[in-house]
């Protein structure tokens, strides 16, 4: 109870709506981790090997990488021994605690964007095909616009059919300019143009779209390298953020994606999209731990305002949201446990 | 993180057991733990893994493995057989309606690759089966989705049916069928909007389309990189729509693609096609056995062989074989070989198909540079005809000239010549061993 309630209290004091969104996004299905963990703690009378094995399995099904799961379970075992815990209910709190700890490591949380106080901030978006780069840019453009910033979009996906038009539609929706060239042109040239335009029009933020590419395509990754180089050359210190967009439904391959894109473009943060489905995107925990790339935003739907800043506690809370609800209900009923 | 293939892991386990003379039940259990791990790393759903392991264990504990001299390999064989079987045995084809047009509905999550796959499928139908497909733009939600399909249609010179984004997809689909009948199209491919399987309204819309157009195929398009959630997605789409098959996309990435197994296991619907690239001809029939190998990290030898067969000119191959037998291969022949290897596709992709390639340290992250082949090519092309035929005449000054001509350092020229010499020697040895045994592959200078 303790940790959950503390966490919940803390979160309700924070942004109510965001938490709601998180919860909505993450509890749409009954088959979520929390109900499974609940199920688990209800079924076991004591904390034993079987209990841990089943816990392992629950986390694996959330795509939390296997190694991370093993580490978590090991730490849990130690903690349980240290505190001499027998009751499975008590372990539940530690599970959340440890998950957040593993995600964070020793590092300070940096989930805000590196926005320049004066002058242009350039944000480059990278990722494999179909993860939602263009949509994320649209949403983020909306967010910045709401904050009163002048935003320009660079249509750097010159490859996929209809990609430029897709970004243009977003530009219209949000009411920001889109810098583009024709399909098939050099994306690096588009970036060059966009930077010149952003300067001339005194924009605050330049959001750069790129074509989706699988991380094992050498030539395409080189192209991306070049895009980044052109930006660097034009504005020292830019791009100020390189955001890797990851699809929450992706499994273990997300780690490989993060690794390769980081190598080529020095990724500074992750946007985890499609978290409103049944997928949990648990691999971000492993990515943060191994590659030290923090998640900065999560996509929770298709509407313009469905992009939220990431907060690890909220994320884990979201994963286990059902737990708290059920526990409260139980207490209200004068529950039987 | 980089998970080496199942075969290597099993070998490690076997080493522990080796010397025991007999494989016990607990040994099998230990091996099964490795199998379980391999499948989980490949993103096969946990529940599927569990029932699979149970089945395989029963067979593995049985006679065939215990009595075998190489139990490790036997286990792998059992695992692979079972996996292949689970994956659907043989290939299955796309349906053809007894009365045209055949209606195909493409459904799936956002970003799975429906629109691209629709284009590829239309292209395949026309090219391979001589059909006359009509593409239908029924994704009215995603910005520019219609535009995307129209662009693909233009690229392929195929007609695209669209009523804009203000008409309901149900109506678009219905009108499209009428249009197809009038224009004598024998296939209608309906590209629907991506949607979450838990979005009731949008799922209802699909049901309505299904009601109206009575499709012969409902293909679920799934990203091969999907993790554990693949089971939820596939079950949900199947329960609500009754899919007839699956298309697995983005398989040209480096994912193991365990989702394929999960989907197959929970829906029992065949995987009909796989997407292998961004070009419009990169759609191929699904091969269960190859997928089984890939999931287990055992390389895709079959695909490699087929690729080689497709790329290698038979005549030339024979000629080369003759030359190899007499060890009279020249640098010109070698150049030919290089071209043929190149025709098979990017080298790193080829390498990935080799079993054990992922065991070799660093190879996983190694990007084989096609440039290196170009360098070898440049060096050989900088030689005179005589030099190519009789490399032994290449002295120091010739080497310098060749280096200059090709723009490569002299050391590289030296290395190439030396390797070529070794290759010839190897061929001689091979010939001496004569017909007994298989020919071992020779090492190319850039490997």
């Amino acid at each position: 109870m303790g940790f959950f309630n503390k966490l919940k209290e803390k979160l309700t004091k924070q942004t109510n709506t965001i938490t709601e969104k998180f919860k909505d996004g993450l509890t749409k299905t009954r088959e979520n981790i929390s109900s499974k963990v609940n199920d688990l703690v209800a079924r076991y009378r004591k904390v034993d090997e079987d209990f841990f094995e089943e816990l392992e399995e629950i986390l694996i099904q959330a795509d939390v990488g296997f190694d991370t799961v093993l580490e978590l379970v090991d730490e849990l075992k130690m903690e349980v021994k240290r505190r001499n815990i027998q009751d499975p209910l008590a372990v539940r709190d530690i599970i959340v605690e440890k998950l957040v700890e593993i995600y964070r490591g020793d590092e300070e949380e940096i989930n805000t964007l590196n926005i320049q106080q004066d002058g242009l901030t350039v944000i480059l978006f990278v990722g494999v095909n179909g993860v939602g780069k263009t949509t994320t840019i649209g949403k983020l453009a909306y967010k910045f616009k709401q904050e009163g910033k002048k935003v320009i979009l660079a249509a750097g996906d010159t490859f996929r059919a209809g990609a430029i038009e897709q970004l243009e539609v977003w530009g219209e929706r949000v009411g920001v300019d889109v810098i583009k060239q024709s399909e098939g042109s050099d994306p690096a040239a588009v970036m060059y143009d966009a930077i010149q335009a952003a300067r001339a029009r005194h924009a605050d933020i330049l959001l750069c779209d790129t074509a989706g590419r699988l991380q094992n395509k050498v030539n395409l990754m080189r192209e991306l390298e070049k895009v980044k180089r052109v930006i660097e050359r034009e504005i020292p210190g830019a791009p100020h953020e390189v955001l890797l967009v990851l699809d929450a439904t992706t499994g273990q391959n997300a780690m490989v994606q993060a690794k390769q894109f980081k190598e080529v473009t020095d990724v500074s943060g992750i946007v985890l999209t499609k978290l409103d489905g049944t997928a949990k995107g648990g691999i971000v925990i492993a990515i943060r731990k191994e590659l030290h790339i923090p998640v900065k935003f999560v996509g929770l739907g298709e509407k313009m305002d469905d992009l939220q800043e990431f907060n690890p506690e909220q994320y884990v809370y979201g994963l286990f949201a059902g737990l708290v609800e059920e526990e409260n209900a139980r207490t209200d009923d004068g529950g039987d446990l | 993180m980089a998970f080496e293939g199942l075969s290597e892991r099993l070998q490690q386990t076997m080493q522990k057991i080796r010397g025991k003379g007999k494989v016990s039940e607990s040994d099998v259990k230990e091996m099964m733990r490795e199998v379980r791990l391999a499948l989980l790393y490949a993103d096969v759903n946990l529940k599927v893994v569990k029932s699979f392991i149970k089945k395989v264990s029963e067979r593995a504990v049985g006679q065939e493995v215990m009595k075998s001299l190489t139990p490790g390999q036997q286990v792998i064989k059992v695992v692979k057989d079972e996996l292949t079987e689970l994956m659907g045995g043989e290939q299955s084809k796309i349906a053809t309606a007894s009365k045209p047009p055949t209606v195909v509905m493409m459904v799936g999550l956002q970003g799975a690759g429906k629109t691209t796959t629709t284009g590829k499928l239309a292209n395949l139908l026309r090219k391979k089966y001589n059909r006359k497909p009509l593409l239908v733009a029924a994704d009215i939600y995603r910005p520019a989705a219609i535009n995307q399909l129209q662009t693909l249609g233009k690229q392929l010179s195929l007609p695209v049916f669209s009523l804009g984004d203000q008409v309901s997809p149900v109506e678009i689909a219905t009108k499209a069928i009428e249009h197809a009948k009038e224009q004598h199209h024998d296939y209608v491919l309906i590209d629907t909007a991506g949607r979450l399987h838990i979005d009731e309204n949008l799922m209802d819309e699909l049901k309505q389309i299904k009601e109206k157009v009575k499709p012969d195929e409902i293909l679920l398009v799934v990203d091969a990189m999907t993790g554990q959630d693949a089971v939820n997605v596939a079950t949900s789409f199947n329960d609500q729509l009754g899919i007839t098959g699956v298309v697995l996309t983005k398989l040209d990435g480096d994912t193991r693609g365990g989702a394929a197994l999960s989907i197959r296991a929970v829906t029992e619907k065949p995987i009909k096609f796989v997407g292998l690239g961004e070009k419009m001809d990169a759609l191929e029939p699904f091969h269960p056995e190859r997928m089984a190998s890939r999931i287990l990290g055992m390389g895709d030898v079959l695909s490699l062989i087929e690729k080689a067969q497709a790329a290698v000119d038979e005549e030339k191959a024979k000629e080369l074989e003759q030359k190899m037998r007499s060890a009279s291969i020249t640098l010109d022949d070698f150049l030919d070989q290089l071209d043929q290897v190149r025709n098979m596709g990017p080298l790193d992709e080829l390498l990935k198909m080799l079993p054990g390639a992922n065991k070799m340290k660093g190879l996983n992250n190694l990007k084989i540079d096609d440039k290196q082949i170009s360098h070898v090519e440049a060096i050989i092309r900088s030689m005179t005809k005589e030099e190519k035929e009789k490399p032994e005449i290449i002295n120091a000054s010739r080497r310098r000239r060749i280096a200059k001509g090709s723009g490569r350092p002299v050391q590289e020229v030296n290395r190439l010549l030396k390797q070529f010499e070794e290759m010839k020697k190897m061929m001689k040895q091979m010939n001496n061993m004569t017909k007994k045994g298989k020919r071992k592959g020779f090492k190319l200078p850039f490997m």
Side-chain angles (χ1 to χ4, degrees):
Chain A
M1 199 188 304
F3 181 72
F4 269 103
N5 280 349
K6 251 189 283 164
L7 185 59
K8 194 180 183 191
E9 209 178 305
K10 201 171 151 197
L11 292 169
T12 24
K13 269 189 214 150
Q14 283 181 6
T15 37
N16 240 329
T17 48
I18 295 180
T19 314
E20 279 304 313
K21 281 231 167 190
F22 252 96
K23 236 170 47 195
D24 278 357
L26 292 166
T27 54
K28 271 181 185 160
T29 157
R30 293 201 58 100
E31 280 285 285
N32 57 14
I33 301 189
S34 54
S35 64
K36 285 179 198 159
V37 173
N38 254 358
D39 188 42
L40 179 69
V41 292
R43 266 188 299 117
Y44 283 87
R45 285 178 176 262
K46 66 184 209 316
V47 183
D48 55 12
E49 275 302 309
D50 289 348
F51 174 86
F52 283 117
E53 190 173 313
E54 208 163 316
L55 179 67
E56 254 175 56
E57 296 186 344
I58 290 164
L59 290 167
I60 285 169
Q61 293 195 58
D63 287 320
V64 176
F66 195 80
D67 302 327
T68 313
V69 172
L70 287 189
E71 184 185 327
L72 172 78
V73 170
D74 278 351
E75 278 184 27
L76 271 178
K77 280 182 186 165
M78 259 162 53
E79 197 72 18
V80 163
K81 216 171 175 184
R82 200 171 60 82
R83 297 197 205 169
N84 194 20
I85 297 167
Q86 307 280 328
D87 183 6
L89 270 173
V91 184
R92 225 175 38 185
D93 297 357
I94 312 174
I95 296 173
V96 180
E97 209 176 309
K98 282 282 163 200
L99 262 178
V100 175
E101 217 174 83
I102 283 186
Y103 174 83
R104 281 222 174 112
D106 305 326
E107 293 161 64
E108 218 172 293
E109 188 55 31
I110 20 150
N111 51 9
T112 49
L113 293 177
N114 171 22
I115 302 294
Q116 303 303 296
Q117 283 316 308
D118 23 48
L120 181 63
T121 302
V122 182
I123 305 178
L124 180 65
F125 291 80
V126 299
V128 301
N129 317 61
V131 287
K133 282 178 294 302
T134 310
T135 308
T136 303
I137 289 176
K139 289 176 182 174
L140 206 55
Y142 172 76
K143 192 170 144 39
F144 283 127
K145 185 101 193 286
Q146 294 295 100
E147 290 169 10
K149 298 222 158 63
K150 184 166 170 59
V151 184
I152 286 184
L153 310 182
D157 183 354
T158 57
F159 180 79
R160 203 202 68 201
I164 298 171
E165 288 82 357
Q166 189 181 347
L167 195 70
E168 279 185 303
V169 174
W170 273 106
E172 264 165 47
R173 258 187 212 175
V174 179
V176 298
D177 293 345
V178 177
I179 305 300
K180 58 160 185 173
Q181 287 184 12
S182 58
E183 208 179 295
S185 54
D186 180 2
V190 178
M191 295 309 160
Y192 180 85
D193 276 6
I195 290 171
Q196 306 313 323
R199 274 182 174 148
R201 298 175 204 180
H202 302 289
D204 302 304
I205 312 273
L206 175 63
L207 303 178
C208 306
D209 196 10
T210 61
R213 64 203 75 217
L214 294 174
Q215 69 277 7
N216 59 338
K217 309 273 175 189
V218 183
N219 293 341
L220 293 178
M221 292 306 270
R222 288 225 180 105
E223 180 192 87
L224 199 59
E225 217 171 7
K226 183 180 164 196
V227 165
K228 188 177 175 237
R229 215 167 41 232
V230 167
I231 297 173
E232 277 167 354
R233 200 183 56 208
E234 286 311 302
I235 302 175
H240 306 92
E241 288 279 351
V242 179
L243 297 181
L244 171 70
V245 184
L246 278 184
D247 184 332
T249 48
T250 307
Q252 303 305 302
N253 194 250
M255 175 65 89
V256 190
Q257 289 172 24
K259 209 173 172 192
Q260 298 291 344
F261 277 100
K262 189 185 181 189
E263 222 165 79
V264 173
T265 57
D266 199 14
V267 172
S268 59
I270 285 169
V271 181
L272 188 62
T273 62
K274 309 185 200 176
L275 209 54
D276 48 335
T278 46
K280 299 289 181 289
I283 192 73
V284 293
I285 294 175
I287 292 176
R288 171 65 206 256
K289 190 174 138 275
E290 279 193 32
L291 303 172
H292 314 287
I293 310 174
V295 181
K296 299 209 169 174
F297 290 98
V298 292
L300 294 163
E302 297 201 308
K303 288 196 286 306
M304 284 206 278
D305 58 353
D306 283 336
L307 188 76
Q308 301 294 340
E309 271 165 34
F310 182 77
N311 174 320
E313 281 172 358
Q314 280 176 351
Y315 177 68
V316 175
Y317 169 77
L319 293 177
F320 292 88
L323 273 177
V324 183
E325 302 303 305
E326 280 164 48
E327 173 152 346
N328 285 351
R330 231 182 270 131
T331 338
D332 293 347
D333 298 347
D336 54 351
L337 269 170
Chain B
M1 179 198 62
F3 182 81
E4 63 273 37
L6 178 65
S7 21
E8 287 87 50
R9 292 196 65 120
L10 274 184
Q11 268 157 28
Q12 282 168 19
T13 315
M14 288 311 299
Q15 268 175 355
K16 276 185 256 161
I17 303 171
R18 203 160 52 185
K20 266 190 183 176
K22 203 176 131 218
V23 180
S24 69
E25 205 161 316
S26 75
D27 293 335
V28 170
K29 208 171 167 191
E30 192 169 333
M31 287 193 272
M32 283 307 130
R33 256 204 297 278
E34 295 299 333
V35 176
R36 176 176 178 264
L37 253 181
L39 294 175
L40 285 176
Y41 269 100
D43 285 326
V44 180
N45 183 271
L46 182 72
K47 284 179 197 144
V48 179
V49 172
K50 278 177 133 182
S51 70
F52 180 77
I53 293 288
K54 202 171 156 231
K55 207 169 152 199
V56 174
S57 297
E58 278 163 22
R59 252 188 86 184
V61 177
Q63 293 288 329
E64 49 181 323
V65 172
M66 307 292 254
K67 281 200 175 153
S68 156
L69 285 173
T70 52
Q73 277 159 29
Q74 278 299 318
V75 169
I76 293 174
K77 192 177 170 297
V78 170
V79 169
K80 213 187 134 195
D81 287 352
E82 288 287 335
L83 211 55
T84 309
E85 201 188 296
L86 193 68
M87 210 85 85
E90 70 226 66
Q91 291 173 38
S92 75
K93 294 202 170 72
I94 192 157
T96 313
S98 49
K99 207 172 132 228
T102 307
V103 180
V104 183
M105 243 172 106
M106 313 291 285
V107 300
L109 299 182
Q110 293 96 335
K114 282 174 299 305
T115 309
T116 307
T117 305
T118 307
K120 286 179 182 176
L121 188 57
N123 187 38
L124 187 82
L125 283 168
R126 183 184 54 183
K127 262 175 106 174
K128 206 170 164 193
Y129 302 101
N130 251 330
R131 302 286 181 179
K132 198 182 159 202
L134 175 70
L135 300 169
V136 183
D139 180 357
I140 60 167
Y141 305 104
R142 202 193 70 200
I146 297 176
N147 190 295
Q148 184 183 354
L149 195 67
Q150 281 168 337
T151 309
L152 292 178
K154 223 181 276 166
Q155 279 172 22
L156 297 165
S157 319
L158 283 170
V160 176
F161 183 87
S162 161
L163 296 175
D165 60 4
Q166 298 302 316
V167 182
S168 90
V170 183
E171 198 182 329
I172 295 173
T174 321
K175 292 255 168 71
I177 308 284
E178 284 167 27
H179 178 82
K181 281 180 185 159
E182 281 164 25
Q183 302 291 316
H184 304 291
H185 287 284
D186 47 11
Y187 267 88
V188 180
L189 308 182
I190 305 171
D191 178 30
T192 68
R195 63 202 73 212
L196 287 170
H197 50 295
I198 47 173
D199 187 327
E200 283 173 24
N201 293 337
L202 285 178
M203 289 306 281
D204 273 343
E205 182 193 278
L206 285 182
K207 284 182 212 163
Q208 283 171 33
I209 298 178
K210 186 191 170 187
E211 266 312 289
K212 278 272 177 184
V213 305
K214 303 258 181 322
D216 305 280
E217 287 266 18
I218 300 179
L219 295 179
L220 177 65
V221 182
V222 186
D223 186 328
M225 295 178 280
T226 310
Q228 295 283 324
D229 200 44
V231 159
N232 296 332
V233 175
T235 311
S236 187
F237 269 96
N238 192 37
D239 288 351
Q240 296 184 62
L241 290 169
I243 60 168
T244 60
V246 176
V247 182
L248 209 58
T249 60
K250 307 178 205 173
L251 209 58
D252 49 329
D254 49 16
T255 178
R256 285 243 157 104
L261 186 65
S262 308
I263 294 166
R264 172 73 209 188
V266 298
T267 65
E268 296 187 345
K269 297 292 161 59
I271 296 167
K272 299 206 165 179
F273 297 100
V274 293
L276 288 166
E278 302 200 37
K279 294 209 186 82
M280 276 296 117
D281 57 0
L283 186 76
E284 289 180 13
F286 175 70
H287 297 282
E289 207 203 309
R290 294 180 195 175
M291 197 66 215
S293 293
R294 177 173 179 148
I295 289 175
L296 295 175
M298 288 162 61
D300 193 353
V301 189
L302 276 177
S303 294
L304 184 67
I305 292 170
E306 254 176 43
K307 275 204 168 180
Q309 277 169 348
V312 174
D313 185 332
E314 197 121 345
E315 285 273 302
K316 275 191 183 166
K318 262 195 191 148
E319 203 179 297
L320 185 76
E321 204 186 321
Q322 271 303 321
K323 283 188 175 165
M324 276 170 77
R325 283 188 189 286
S326 54
S328 64
I329 187 167
T330 67
L331 278 160
D332 256 330
D333 302 322
F334 185 67
L335 207 56
D336 259 0
Q337 276 295 95
L338 278 188
D339 273 346
Q340 289 182 348
V341 170
R342 249 195 187 168
N343 286 340
M344 284 159 69
L347 263 185
D348 47 346
E349 248 163 70
L350 288 177
L351 265 186
K352 253 190 336 231
M353 294 182 191
L354 288 173
N358 44 17
K359 186 172 77 175
M360 286 154 78
K361 268 230 162 92
L363 200 59
N364 250 343
N365 303 319
L366 179 78
K367 300 286 177 225
I368 295 281
D369 199 339
D370 285 346
K371 256 192 200 150
Q372 272 172 287
I373 306 189
S374 307
H375 294 162
V376 171
E377 214 182 318
I379 293 172
I380 298 180
R381 288 203 197 285
S382 303
M383 298 175 186
T384 65
K385 203 160 179 255
E386 200 190 355
E387 283 167 350
K388 276 189 263 188
E389 272 158 23
K390 280 184 270 175
E392 55 275 11
I393 64 164
I394 303 178
N395 56 20
S397 102
R398 282 178 194 257
R399 276 168 211 241
R400 274 197 299 276
R401 193 208 73 240
I402 293 166
K404 245 185 196 161
S406 60
R408 306 304 308 163
V410 182
Q411 295 96 296
E412 222 167 283
V413 178
N414 289 339
R415 198 164 62 220
L416 174 71
L417 287 170
K418 202 173 158 211
Q419 278 166 334
F420 181 72
E421 203 41 52
E422 271 167 16
M423 196 172 92
K424 265 176 107 171
K425 246 187 245 160
M426 218 165 70
M427 279 178 200
K428 264 189 203 139
Q429 279 169 4
M430 255 157 38
N431 289 331
N432 293 341
M433 292 193 303
T434 58
K435 283 116 213 162
K436 207 166 57 180
K438 269 176 263 168
R439 203 187 298 139
K440 280 234 176 85
F442 49 83
K443 214 172 158 199
L444 295 166
F446 48 81
M447 284 179 95

